[in-house]
Amino acid sequence: MDQKLTVLDRVTLPTPRFFRKVRTIGAALAAVGGVLATAPVALPAAVVALGGYLVLAGSVAAAVSSVAVDPDTVPVRADGRTAAEVRDIVERGDAASL
């Protein structure tokens, strides 16, 4: 891929299958960590700290894997628009049509 992709391009382009799985696992880890960290019952401090670490690790994994793009494919979004077309729409200020 010769061109540099912006964050908007990366978010709107399709994510490879492996990174979709990583995103799902990361979201699940963050959810479990949130339950442990905010449980209404008295839990040991180590369990609450583990919950905080799970939230952090899960959210980072989900965020990073959401912007992964396959470098060998042509940058076309799921709706058929290319990344350059989307960038032109945003630069025109007509982003509501996306």
Side-chain angles (χ1 to χ4, degrees):
M1 189 175 288
D2 297 345
Q3 62 185 1
K4 301 277 184 178
L5 295 175
T6 64
V7 175
L8 178 65
D9 295 338
R10 289 186 171 275
V11 171
T12 56
L13 289 172
T15 304
R17 185 175 9 177
F18 171 75
F19 288 104
R20 284 186 296 218
K21 291 178 184 177
V22 171
R23 181 177 55 199
T24 303
I25 292 169
L29 280 177
V32 168
V35 167
L36 288 177
T38 61
V41 296
L43 293 175
V47 174
V48 174
L50 175 69
Y53 290 130
L54 285 175
V55 169
L56 177 66
S59 59
V60 167
V64 169
S65 65
S66 292
V67 295
V69 178
D70 188 8
D72 296 331
T73 60
V74 177
V76 176
R77 294 179 2 155
D79 62 358
R81 293 182 175 146
T82 63
E85 290 173 347
V86 172
R87 193 177 312 118
D88 291 340
I89 291 171
V90 171
E91 288 174 357
R92 278 196 320 252
D94 192 21
S97 66
L98 291 175

